Amino acid sequence: MKQTVAEQIHDLQKKLTEYAYAYYVKDQPVVDDAYYDQLYQQLVALETAHPEYQTSDSPTQRVGGVVRKGFEKVVHEIPLYSLNDVFSKAEIIAFDQRVQKTLGHAVSYICELKIDGLSISLKYENGRLVRGATRGDGTIGENITDNSKTVKSIPLTLTEPIDIEVRGECYMPKASFIQLNQKREEEGLDIFANPRNAAAGSIRQLDSKVTASRNLSTFLYTLADFGPLHVTNQAEALTHLDDLGFRTNQERAVCSTIDDVWAYIESFHDKRSQLPYEIDGVVIKVNDFSDQNQLGFTVKAPRWAVAYKFPPEEAQTTIEEIEWTVGRTGVVTPTAVMTPVRVAGTTVARASLHNADYIKMKDIRLHDQVVIYKAGDIIPEVAHVIEEARDSASQPYTIPTNCPVCGSELVHLDEEVALRCINPKCPALLKEGISHFVSRDAMNIEGIGPRMIEQFFNHGFVEDVADLYRLTLDQLLTIDKVKEKSATNMLQAIEASKQNSLEKLLFGLGIRHVGVKAAKLLAERFETLTQLSQATVEEILTVATIGPTIADSLVTYFANEEVHELMTELKAAGVNETYLGLKSQDVAEIESAFQGKTVVLTGKLQTYTRDQAKKRIEELGGTITGSVSKKTDLVIAGADAGSKLTKAQALDIPVWTEEEMIAALESKQNE
Ligand code: AMP
Ligand code: ZN
C-alpha cells in the first residue's frame, strides 16, 4: 500500500488540518505536540521537494513570510458596529424595558462574553478565505489577509463552499501575553500594556512571520449579513458558525429573564480570572433576528444589544522602593516594591516597572501613592500615580547610570528601551546564564538552583557553564550546609547532563532569540553543535519557521572566539553535542505499522485501555473498526478474545498480541 508523493502530501495536509482544528478551534488536542511537529516537518520537506503539490490552504502556508510596506484600506460595506455600555443591573433592566416597549412583548436574550481583543472581519468566497480586515473606524479598516492566515483558529477553508463575511474578536490568550512580555522585557524591548494592545500590535505587523509567532486566537460571533445561512436567531447562528469550522465562545447562554442575565454576569465575576483569555464584560443581545431587525440601530450601535462592563479590579498602595536587577542578557529591570495589598484575589507587593522610560512616562517616584491592576488578570502593573497625594518635596526618580551588580556603566542599545550592562564578566550575567543552563528545559541539572550557583561564585568555583563539569566533591563539601549526600546528588546530576541531546545544550547556551522550539528544529537539522556553528545565515534560514533574527543571532554568537573556547571545554568535559532525538524522516517508517491500516481491537487489554490504544493507533494513521471483515488489515487480540479472533484466523488476517502492539506503539513514543 505504497502512497504516491501527491497522496502523501494530501494525506499530511488533511491530517494536520484536522489536528490543528482540534487543537486551535475545539481546544481538544487529539495528538501530542511533538507528533504534530514531526508530521509538520515531514510535510514541509515533501512540499519543498515537490512544490507543485503545495496548495494555498496547506497548513504550511500559515507561517507567513510576506513583508508589506503598509496596509491597504478596506471599506466595510456593512459597517462593524460598536456597543453601548452599561455598568449596573439597573441599566440592564432599563435596556430590557426599552426593548419590551418597542416590541410590545418579552424576549429571550443571549449572553456572550465580551472578549478583550480587536474586531476583525473575514471574507470567504466559495468557502475559501479571501480577505481579512481590521475593524478600523467601523467603515474603513485595514487589509490584514496575510496576517489572518497565520492565526491558526481561522479556517482557510470552510466545511461548505459559501460566500460569507464573518466577524468577531481576535485576541491574545493570557498565557501568550505574559510570555511575550517576559521575552520582550528580557530582550530590552517595550512591553504591551494588556492583551488587547498585544493582539492589536500583533495583527498589524507588516511582516506576517511576526504575527505567526504571536499565538493569536479568535472567537467569531456574527456575520455581516446572515442571508446565506437561513438562521433565525443568534444562538443558531453561533452553532452554524461552529459547524462551518469557526471558533466560537462556548460560554454563551440563552436567558429568558433579566434575573438569569444577571446571574450569568455575576457568575463571571469570579470565573473571569480563571479564563485563559481576558474579558472586559458581557454582551447581552436580543436573541431573535426578527426582533433585532425591528429594534434596529442608532448611529453607531445596535438597539438590540448592550455591553455590561465589569468594574475594574484595582487597588491603591505605596511605592516603598525601586529595585534594579540584571537579567541573563544584561537587561537591567526595575521592580516596584510596594506595601502589600489585595487585588483580584491575591496579595501584591511587587510589580515590574519594565524600563526607565516607563518610570519616566508614568512619572513614578519613591513613596508615591499608586493605583495597581493586573494585566492579563495575572501580572500586577502600576496603572498610574495619584499625584494629588504626593508630598510637596517629592522629586522625580533618578534612574541609575551604573550596573547595580558590577558597577560598570549602563548603555542603551539601538531601538531598545532597556538599560543594559554590557560587561561580559558581570557576575549577574554569568550567574543568570548558569541558572538558565541548569534549568529544566535546558540541561535539567536538578538540585542546583540560583542560591547554589551564588555559592559556587562566592567560592570562586564556577565562572562559566563549563566550570560546572569541573566541580569536585571536596569543593562542594566546603559550601555551608552542603552534606555528602546532596553533594553526590549534584555531581551525579551534572554527570547525567552530559548525555543530553543537542537541543537541550543548544537552548542552555542562552543564545539570544533561540528558544526551546527553535533549538529543537536546529538540532534536528544540523545534528551537531559543531555543524550548526559552521552554518551560514542562508543555511539556517532553510529550517522552516526559523527567521532572520534567530539566524543572525546564531551566526553572531558562533563568530565569537570565546564561544569556541567554551565549546572546546564542554567537549573535553564529555558533554554530548549530538542530536539524539527522532528525525522526521524516520517517522514515516515507524508510522507504517498502522499507517492506512484498518485495525480491530478485541479481547481484554492489560496495559492500555481500549480508548488509549484506539487513540494511539489513530494518531499513527490507522483506523479502528468494530468488526472483522475482508477489509480488516490487522487484529489485535488481548486476553480471552472470542469470535473476532476466530474470524480473523479464518480470513487469514494478521493477528498481533498486545505486546506486539505495544512494541509498535512505543517505537513511536520513544521520540
Ligand atoms: P466597545 O469597544 O466597548 O465599543 O465594545 C464593542 C466591541 O466589543 C466590539 O467592537 C467588539 O470588538 C467587542 N466584542 C467582544 N466580544 C463581543 C461579542 N461577544 N459580541 C459583540 N461584540 C463583542
Ligand atoms: Zn553588571
Side-chain angles (χ1 to χ4, degrees):
M1 244 198 328
K2 193 91 186 133
Q3 283 182 313
T4 64
V5 173
E7 282 167 352
Q8 273 183 47
I9 290 182
H10 180 75
D11 197 46
L12 284 168
Q13 288 175 342
K14 196 165 146 249
K15 270 193 198 154
L16 288 165
T17 303
E18 260 171 46
Y19 297 159
Y21 173 78
Y23 186 96
Y24 293 103
V25 179
K26 291 283 143 198
D27 300 321
Q28 279 161 353
V30 291
V31 295
D32 56 37
D33 294 0
Y35 180 63
Y36 182 91
D37 289 345
Q38 275 169 351
L39 289 194
Y40 184 89
Q41 291 301 324
Q42 218 179 337
L43 179 59
V44 170
L46 285 171
E47 284 183 347
T48 313
H50 306 276
E52 66 275 21
Y53 299 129
Q54 188 176 68
T55 57
S56 65
D57 60 358
S58 168
T60 58
Q61 299 308 295
R62 289 186 180 275
V63 294
V66 188
V67 180
R68 306 253 159 206
K69 292 216 176 58
F71 294 104
E72 276 168 52
K73 296 271 174 278
V74 167
V75 177
H76 299 297
E77 276 151 36
I78 301 173
L80 279 78
Y81 53 80
S82 173
L83 292 167
N84 290 322
D85 293 339
V86 294
F87 300 92
S88 65
K89 187 174 180 186
E91 283 176 282
I92 295 174
I93 292 171
F95 160 68
D96 178 45
Q97 283 166 350
R98 282 198 303 279
V99 165
Q100 294 208 32
K101 194 164 162 223
T102 310
L103 297 176
H105 60 82
V107 298
S108 283
Y109 292 99
I110 181 163
C111 293
E112 296 172 22
L113 297 181
K114 189 165 187 296
I115 313 300
D116 207 7
L118 76 152
S119 292
I120 55 161
S121 175
L122 305 169
K123 203 165 170 174
Y124 290 80
E125 279 169 15
N126 236 329
R128 283 179 177 259
L129 177 64
V130 294
R131 195 194 72 191
T134 60
R135 172 180 194 271
D137 63 5
T139 308
I140 297 176
E142 287 174 327
N143 187 321
I144 49 152
T145 310
D146 296 326
N147 291 349
S148 51
K149 284 186 178 166
T150 70
V151 178
K152 309 243 186 17
S153 63
I154 295 181
L156 301 178
T157 320
L158 304 180
T159 55
E160 288 173 47
I162 50 171
D163 291 357
I164 49 168
E165 189 178 332
V166 190
R167 288 158 177 196
E169 205 75 357
C170 177
Y171 71 94
M172 184 176 287
K174 287 175 191 171
S176 310
F177 163 73
I178 289 161
Q179 255 176 19
L180 175 65
N181 264 357
Q182 232 166 31
K183 196 162 144 257
R184 289 181 68 87
E185 199 164 288
E186 274 172 26
E187 287 171 5
L189 301 173
D190 219 345
I191 54 117
F192 291 106
N194 53 47
R196 176 165 33 83
N197 290 3
S202 302
I203 203 77
R204 293 188 70 262
Q205 287 286 333
L206 293 171
D207 179 353
S208 52
K209 264 196 174 166
V210 177
T211 311
S213 72
R214 292 284 174 84
N215 272 324
L216 294 172
S217 192
T218 51
F219 285 122
L220 280 307
Y221 51 73
T222 196
L223 289 192
D225 172 11
F226 278 100
L229 287 199
H230 309 295
V231 286
T232 60
N233 62 51
Q234 172 68 2
E236 278 174 17
L238 289 171
T239 310
H240 207 117
L241 289 179
D242 281 332
D243 295 342
L244 287 170
F246 292 105
R247 186 157 185 266
T248 67
N249 191 287
Q250 301 297 316
E251 303 284 357
R252 59 191 184 246
V254 175
C255 300
S256 51
T257 68
I258 285 301
D259 281 337
D260 290 350
V261 167
W262 189 248
Y264 176 91
I265 290 173
E266 286 207 305
S267 74
F268 279 95
H269 276 297
D270 287 339
K271 266 195 274 176
R272 184 183 170 192
S273 62
Q274 273 117 55
L275 293 171
Y277 44 85
E278 200 163 70
I279 60 173
D280 62 340
V282 168
V283 185
I284 304 143
K285 301 175 182 172
V286 170
N287 192 29
D288 202 90
F289 285 160
S290 60
D291 289 341
Q292 285 190 5
N293 288 338
Q294 214 178 319
L295 288 157
F297 285 79
T298 64
V299 181
K300 67 166 200 105
R303 287 202 188 84
W304 43 263
V306 283
Y308 170 82
K309 291 276 183 83
F310 291 127
E313 294 199 72
E314 294 180 339
Q316 197 174 321
T317 183
T318 311
I319 306 263
E320 294 181 350
E321 205 185 318
I322 295 176
E323 272 179 18
W324 293 78
T325 47
V326 188
R328 179 163 64 83
T329 61
V331 172
V332 182
T333 320
T335 304
V337 181
M338 304 168 296
T339 314
V341 63
R342 300 268 309 167
V343 198
T346 61
T347 302
V348 172
R350 301 170 70 84
S352 177
L353 298 177
H354 310 294
N355 54 62
D357 286 1
Y358 189 91
I359 298 179
K360 282 187 219 155
M361 183 186 71
K362 300 208 165 184
D363 189 17
I364 296 167
R365 307 178 181 189
L366 292 176
H367 314 303
D368 266 350
Q369 294 278 311
V370 291
V371 172
I372 63 171
Y373 71 102
K374 284 187 184 158
D377 278 341
I378 300 178
I379 307 290
E381 291 281 344
V382 173
H384 58 89
V385 170
I386 305 171
E387 282 180 34
E388 305 80 68
R390 212 175 244 167
D391 197 280
S392 59
S394 161
Q395 290 292 317
Y397 180 76
T398 319
I399 308 290
T401 52
N402 294 79
C403 174
V405 177
C406 72
S408 60
E409 200 171 326
L410 297 174
V411 298
H412 262 299
L413 297 185
D414 287 351
E415 290 179 31
E416 289 192 350
V417 290
L419 285 169
R420 270 179 194 276
C421 173
I422 52 166
N423 169 13
K425 299 269 173 208
C426 174
L429 256 73
L430 298 175
K431 278 182 230 166
E432 288 293 326
I434 296 171
S435 289
H436 174 74
F437 187 80
V438 302
S439 67
R440 226 183 61 185
D441 286 338
M443 295 298 266
N444 193 19
I445 304 182
E446 276 178 38
I448 299 182
R451 282 226 200 95
M452 193 51 65
I453 291 167
E454 180 83 38
Q455 296 280 6
F456 295 166
F457 258 82
N458 296 346
H459 284 76
F461 297 158
V462 167
E463 261 204 359
D464 64 22
V465 297
D467 293 334
L468 288 172
Y469 295 97
R470 286 190 274 266
L471 284 168
T472 64
L473 187 63
D474 290 342
Q475 283 180 328
L476 293 182
L477 290 176
T478 62
I479 297 173
D480 192 29
K481 296 208 186 89
V482 173
K483 297 269 162 1
E484 179 126 6
K485 180 144 194 300
S486 64
T488 315
N489 286 346
M490 279 189 250
L491 290 174
Q492 267 168 7
I494 293 170
E495 187 61 28
S497 75
K498 291 180 183 172
Q499 307 307 324
N500 284 339
S501 180
L502 169 60
E503 68 276 15
K504 300 194 77 93
L505 173 62
L506 184 55
F507 175 64
L509 291 175
I511 304 165
R512 276 188 85 185
H513 307 295
V514 180
V516 176
K517 204 150 188 183
K520 177 87 200 289
L521 293 170
L522 291 162
E524 196 181 312
R525 169 65 64 89
F526 292 96
E527 293 180 17
T528 67
L529 193 62
T530 307
Q531 289 181 47
L532 174 61
S533 73
Q534 290 157 357
T536 62
V537 168
E538 290 70 35
E539 284 165 345
I540 297 172
L541 283 176
T542 62
V543 181
T545 77
I546 301 281
T549 322
I550 295 180
D552 285 340
S553 170
L554 283 160
V555 170
T556 312
Y557 178 80
F558 287 114
N560 189 331
E561 195 49 46
E562 285 180 22
V563 167
H564 285 270
E565 280 167 28
L566 180 68
M567 281 169 63
T568 311
E569 286 175 43
L570 287 170
K571 235 190 242 175
V575 176
N576 168 57
E577 65 137 28
T578 305
Y579 178 61
L580 305 174
L582 200 64
K583 307 276 291 185
S584 296
Q585 297 96 283
D586 301 339
V587 180
E589 278 163 35
I590 291 165
E591 230 191 354
S592 62
F594 299 105
Q595 178 64 45
K597 302 226 166 125
T598 304
V599 183
V600 173
L601 293 166
T602 181
K604 286 199 201 72
L605 300 181
Q606 315 280 330
T607 309
Y608 281 78
T609 66
R610 269 282 171 101
D611 279 346
Q612 284 166 340
K614 177 170 186 289
K615 186 167 161 252
R616 288 302 294 173
I617 291 170
E618 284 174 349
E619 281 171 17
L620 296 177
T623 310
I624 303 286
T625 58
S627 61
V628 177
S629 73
K630 270 186 278 182
K631 293 204 190 100
T632 309
D633 295 307
L634 176 65
V635 171
I636 292 162
D640 305 328
S643 64
K644 286 182 194 169
L645 175 60
T646 325
K647 189 156 179 204
Q649 284 160 340
L651 290 171
D652 235 358
I653 294 166
V655 177
W656 285 8
T657 61
E658 183 176 0
E659 287 69 40
E660 285 171 304
M661 173 192 77
I662 291 171
L665 288 179
E666 301 200 340
S667 65
K668 158 69 189 65
Q669 276 184 332
N670 288 334
E671 50 204 45

